[in-house]
Amino acid sequence: MKLETFGWTVDGDGIAHAVFDVPGRSMNTLTAKAIADIIAITKEVATNDAIKGLVLSSGKPSGFCAGADLGEMNESAGSGGKPEKDMSEAELKAAQFERGFSLNRTLRQLETCGKPVAVALNGLALGGGLEVALACHYRVAANDNPKLQFGLPEAKIGLLPGAGGTQRLPRLIGVQAALPLILQGESFTADQALSMGVVQELAPSSETEAKATAWVKANPTAKAPWDEKGFKVPGGVPHKSPGAGQVATMANAMLHAKTYGNYPAQKNILSCVYEGIQVPIDAGLRIETRYFINTQQRPEAKAMIRSLFLSMQELGKGANRPAGYDKTEFKKIAVIGAGLMGAGIAYVQAKAGIPTVLVDVSKENAEKGKDYSRRLVEKDVSRGKSTKEKGDALLDLITTTDSYDDVKGADLVIEAVFENVELKAKITEMAEAVLDENAVFGSNTSTLPITGLAKASKRPENFIGIHFFSPVERMGLVEIISGKETSEATLAKAIDYVLAIRKTPISVNDSRGFYTSRCFGTYTREGMEMLAEGIKPAIIENVGRQCGMPMGALEVSDSVGLDTALKVTRATAEAAGVDLQGDERTQFLAWLVEDQGRVGRKAGKGFYDYNEKGKPERLWPDINKMIEVKVDECPPDMKKELTNRFLIRQAIEVARCFEEGVITDARDADIGSILAWGFAPFTGGCCSYVDLIWGIGPFVEEADRLAKKYGDRFAPPQLLRDMAAKGEGFYDRFPPAGSKSKVAA
């Protein structure tokens, strides 16, 4: 038997030991070769009379298996035999089922081979890795690995467990306990796994394999619980047990309330569990495979795998970093401005172990900024997420000052003061006076063009935009903006910085609003357009959430600040030479802000009234004092129309950014749209929404229809028309640039 991803030995007692160890990788995944090896191992164990049992383990210190190889899954196509284009529909379905059922069938054969099978879990076992473990009769987990985690996270990327997870876990721990774990894809610890019954024993990592081996020797006639006569699912099954039936009903209602039907995977998971748990497990596994294939072929799954897994991994490793530059190790970073943003930036730097100087106009102000870190540290310590010693060490890395002499020696300066050109220019000059010639100056601005700000710099090639999102400690994205004179070396350093503070960088070029702020604003403005048309505010908000956005458009406007929106609108119009006196939308916003004093969440009143905790209590009843409500019902056709307006308007602006060269990589665009402003994650981001959910041709047709009905803001740019003529998607036209590579070794 030749194996490529497993080591194989048989000890003197006839116990086979298969050690999962994919060559050249730090973590095992279920590649096609690994699955082929599992098939071969299963056949050998089942047919070789000299083998009395099997112990699975891992040769990787990181854990047993991280699940399916999604990169391979995303690229694979075809049935491996007759070309799919030459197949009848029945042949195609049969081939797809056979391909999808292969691992499920093998694990069931292993489970019923008549010999005991145990697994030693020294680290994480996720997705398909946990499903392989669940097909074993006995599971021993390490109790001394703090990074150990178990889970079925497939739902987070638009898939469902396809190797028995939806069938074995509910049979093992009950429908009520299993459903949340599968639907939400949350991981759990070894202790939690033991208490639930997912594993049967805990032991030190060095002893897990020996414990598993001892169990195999002592249990020659082992069976899975569901293969024992008289087996009953813990808690009962939905069609027989009122409690289990209530769980299924409530889960369905709660699921729809949270997902609005946008996530096919969750709906199919519910169907898998509900249907599969009522029949023998062999039939349940076939049900699972059919739903898995259905889910995998949905555009939402393809989009989410590509963006939320593959692109996130690539960008998280610096895939958009210019090649040819040595990696920068940051020994000291200065943050100028100890307000909310600067304080948050100082915290994430210190948390990453980087010595940080926090500068403000007074030592007292700088200390107030450091208080932000103190509060976060205290919260983590009180919740057991950190220790006092670790918290004190983090705080010791932040030095507060009002003197620019303390900025000397910094590898990087992050300016995080108010959005004022003159103030930022003054800060630039004062910082550069004490910086080394190779130091980078980064401006945390959300709208002001970097090329303009760099005019205050003596070294514009070292000047770059580093745009954080609030709250800094929770938001995972940083937008890096290159001005006209920003060098590639500076861009490389900026990306190194973002990776060092454990966030995801996207790289864009200069323009007013850059990429994220510019495109994000189209969602809130479209909400304002709907309001001006007389559409009831509650309809606008409900459809916004139902189409996949995290908040309604009016609530987002409140969160940003209506005064800020008014200021940016006026500044943008002034820069473009546009007179806003006759613009009804701007006049309405001015009435809200300047006449009514409703500036948004920060004041407790905007489009919404807020409670003392900043939570929206209700839409302000007097919103429509100046605008007559003409639409107070929303039938399905209107919901679809409003949904298209919200999402297509954003995607059109993204296309314009590509056409103008503001953004050049579809991955940056997709990840930026999801992480920065919450563009419907089930679509995979704005580019994938066009490419996969619509298709370029139908998208352009729908945009043209909307433009004719609502105005030029929906008009597709020439770029989209050219792409439609050639049948190109964004990932065809703007693939990962060949000049970009991972960080130099």
Side-chain angles (χ1 to χ4, degrees):
M1 181 175 60
K2 183 180 179 182
L3 303 174
E4 295 188 54
T5 62
F6 280 82
W8 177 260
T9 58
V10 179
D11 65 24
D13 295 313
I15 308 301
H17 295 262
V19 182
F20 198 3
D21 198 357
V22 180
R25 296 197 181 186
S26 60
M27 172 52 68
N28 294 321
T29 57
L30 290 174
T31 62
K33 289 181 179 178
I35 292 173
D37 282 356
I38 293 172
I39 292 172
I41 289 168
T42 299
K43 183 177 179 180
E44 179 69 12
V45 172
T47 60
N48 189 337
D49 292 338
I51 293 176
K52 306 303 180 184
L54 172 67
V55 174
L56 293 170
S57 62
S58 172
K60 309 286 188 190
S62 52
F64 180 64
C65 178
D69 189 305
L70 292 177
E72 190 176 272
M73 179 188 293
N74 204 46
E75 294 171 1
S76 64
S79 64
K82 185 178 180 181
E84 290 190 355
K85 64 183 178 64
D86 297 330
M87 290 182 181
S88 66
E89 184 175 350
E91 288 177 324
L92 179 58
K93 287 185 177 179
Q96 290 171 340
F97 180 85
E98 181 61 27
R99 193 162 64 245
F101 194 60
S102 175
L103 183 56
N104 239 339
R105 178 192 293 113
T106 298
L107 293 180
R108 183 61 178 150
Q109 289 171 346
L110 183 64
E111 187 174 54
T112 58
C113 70
K115 300 172 184 179
V117 181
V119 60
L121 302 167
N122 63 320
L124 62 79
L126 298 173
L130 181 58
E131 290 178 291
V132 171
L134 291 174
C136 299
H137 303 120
Y138 195 75
R139 292 164 289 279
V140 184
N143 60 6
D144 58 355
N145 183 350
K147 294 184 178 180
L148 184 148
Q149 56 178 314
F150 300 137
L152 298 172
E154 288 87 347
K156 291 184 175 182
I157 52 169
L159 288 174
L160 60 81
T166 68
Q167 302 306 304
R168 291 190 177 90
L169 192 61
R171 283 172 169 81
L172 194 63
I173 66 175
V175 173
Q176 185 172 0
L179 264 180
L181 296 175
I182 306 174
L183 287 170
Q184 298 170 25
E186 297 299 330
S187 60
F188 48 95
T189 66
D191 287 336
Q192 291 170 323
L194 181 68
S195 66
M196 287 188 290
V198 175
V199 302
Q200 288 85 6
E201 186 177 356
L202 300 182
S205 299
S206 60
E207 298 177 18
T208 54
E209 187 174 0
K211 295 283 188 181
T213 303
W215 184 89
V216 167
K217 291 178 182 178
N219 293 271
T221 60
K223 289 183 180 179
W226 36 89
D227 289 323
E228 296 284 359
K229 186 176 181 180
F231 168 75
K232 291 183 179 180
V233 175
V237 296
H239 73 298
K240 291 182 179 180
S241 166
Q246 187 178 21
V247 168
T249 301
M250 290 177 62
N252 191 41
M254 291 173 63
L255 179 65
H256 187 76
K258 287 186 176 182
T259 69
Y260 302 106
N262 291 325
Y263 294 82
Q266 275 78 358
K267 180 176 180 294
N268 286 348
I269 285 168
L270 267 180
S271 297
C272 273
V273 174
Y274 185 83
E275 296 174 24
I277 204 71
Q278 303 184 56
V279 297
I281 190 167
D282 293 287
L285 293 172
R286 291 193 293 271
I287 288 170
E288 180 187 80
T289 293
R290 293 190 182 98
Y291 277 111
F292 177 80
I293 293 168
N294 173 275
T295 307
Q296 184 188 24
Q297 292 177 341
R298 291 290 298 259
E300 295 90 346
K302 295 176 181 177
M304 291 175 73
I305 291 171
R306 180 167 71 182
S307 294
L308 299 181
F309 186 79
L310 299 175
S311 293
M312 280 285 287
Q313 277 200 339
E314 291 164 3
L315 296 183
K317 295 177 180 178
N320 52 6
R321 183 187 191 274
Y325 300 94
D326 292 336
K327 179 180 177 181
T328 301
E329 299 290 343
F330 295 93
K331 298 177 181 177
K332 177 181 177 180
I333 297 176
V335 178
I336 301 177
L340 185 62
M341 293 299 289
I345 295 167
Y347 171 76
V348 297
Q349 289 175 183
K351 191 173 183 180
I354 300 172
T356 296
V357 177
L358 184 57
V359 186
D360 212 296
V361 293
S362 69
K363 174 80 170 178
E364 181 183 8
N365 279 4
E367 276 295 314
K368 286 180 180 178
K370 186 172 179 178
D371 284 342
Y372 187 82
S373 293
R374 292 189 180 102
R375 289 192 294 271
L376 291 174
V377 165
E378 288 170 4
K379 183 185 291 185
D380 280 350
V381 172
S382 68
R383 294 180 177 179
K385 294 182 177 180
S386 184
T387 63
K388 186 179 186 304
E389 291 73 23
K390 289 181 179 179
D392 289 344
L394 186 157
L395 293 172
D396 287 345
L397 287 171
I398 303 175
T399 301
T400 58
T401 184
D402 58 2
S403 172
Y404 278 76
D405 286 340
D406 293 319
V407 176
K408 290 179 181 177
D411 306 298
L412 169 69
V413 168
I414 303 289
E415 166 270 299
V417 300
F418 296 113
E419 294 285 85
N420 179 281
V421 174
E422 290 75 22
L423 176 60
K424 288 179 181 288
K426 180 181 177 182
I427 297 295
T428 302
E429 292 170 2
M430 292 172 68
E432 286 190 346
V434 297
L435 287 176
D436 296 337
E437 61 178 15
N438 292 324
V440 169
F441 189 96
S443 177
N444 174 53
T445 175
S446 59
T447 58
L448 299 175
I450 295 302
T451 302
L453 293 178
K455 290 180 180 178
S457 173
K458 296 178 181 178
R459 301 167 299 168
E461 68 278 6
N462 288 17
F463 195 102
I464 196 164
I466 302 179
H467 177 204
F468 286 86
F469 300 85
S470 183
V472 176
E473 71 276 6
R474 287 168 50 192
M475 299 295 282
L477 186 80
V478 178
E479 181 181 31
I480 299 174
I481 309 103
S482 295
K484 285 186 178 178
E485 296 187 58
T486 303
S487 69
E488 280 203 335
T490 296
L491 173 58
K493 287 181 181 178
I495 290 176
D496 288 342
Y497 164 66
V498 175
L499 297 179
I501 59 172
R502 306 181 189 113
K503 294 189 181 292
T504 302
I506 62 168
S507 173
V508 307
N509 293 316
D510 200 16
S511 79
R512 179 168 287 275
F514 321 127
Y515 170 64
T516 58
S517 297
R518 170 177 167 176
C519 296
F520 159 70
T522 61
Y523 174 56
T524 56
R525 287 195 294 273
E526 197 59 30
M528 290 288 290
E529 291 288 343
M530 293 174 184
L531 190 64
E533 292 167 18
I535 297 173
K536 191 175 182 178
I539 292 175
I540 297 169
E541 296 299 87
N542 288 335
V543 173
R545 287 186 285 265
Q546 289 168 10
C547 75
M549 301 299 292
M551 298 180 187
L554 304 182
E555 187 181 354
V556 171
S557 295
D558 273 359
S559 297
V560 172
L562 301 182
D563 53 341
T564 301
L566 180 62
K567 182 179 179 181
V568 170
T569 298
R570 286 172 170 169
T572 303
E574 182 180 352
V578 175
D579 184 2
L580 293 175
Q581 288 302 312
D583 185 78
E584 294 181 2
R585 283 72 168 160
T586 304
Q587 295 310 310
F588 173 75
L589 193 58
W591 172 76
L592 268 177
V593 172
E594 297 170 348
D595 296 346
Q596 302 300 315
R598 303 188 70 89
V599 300
R601 188 187 300 267
K602 59 190 173 186
K605 56 182 183 178
F607 284 115
Y608 284 80
D609 289 321
Y610 295 85
N611 63 25
E612 58 185 17
K613 294 183 179 180
K615 301 291 184 182
E617 290 190 325
R618 63 172 184 171
L619 280 158
W620 185 43
D622 293 338
I623 288 177
N624 296 105
K625 270 189 173 181
M626 291 187 65
I627 299 175
E628 178 188 358
V629 173
K630 300 175 183 177
V631 179
D632 60 2
E633 292 184 0
C634 187
D637 58 340
M638 171 167 281
K639 177 177 178 288
K640 181 180 179 182
E641 181 83 347
L642 298 182
T643 292
N644 288 351
R645 285 177 62 178
F646 273 137
L647 299 184
I648 288 176
R649 177 65 188 92
Q650 296 175 67
I652 287 292
E653 198 64 30
V654 170
R656 289 173 180 159
C657 286
F658 274 105
E659 187 171 65
E660 296 169 21
V662 175
I663 197 160
T664 60
D665 188 322
R667 298 173 305 177
D668 286 339
D670 267 348
I671 296 303
S673 69
I674 294 173
L675 295 187
W677 73 87
F679 186 86
F682 72 92
T683 68
C686 283
C687 293
S688 292
Y689 173 67
V690 176
D691 287 1
L692 298 174
I693 307 300
W694 275 96
I696 185 66
F699 177 85
V700 169
E701 289 177 12
E702 177 65 5
D704 277 331
R705 184 189 70 79
L706 293 174
K708 186 176 181 180
K709 188 173 182 179
Y710 299 106
D712 287 345
R713 65 185 183 276
F714 289 101
Q718 188 59 44
L719 168 69
L720 283 182
R721 299 193 188 282
D722 293 344
M723 288 166 59
K726 297 178 181 178
E728 290 180 328
F730 279 104
Y731 279 78
D732 302 314
R733 189 69 171 256
F734 301 99
S739 62
K740 295 175 181 177
S741 69
K742 296 179 181 178
V743 175

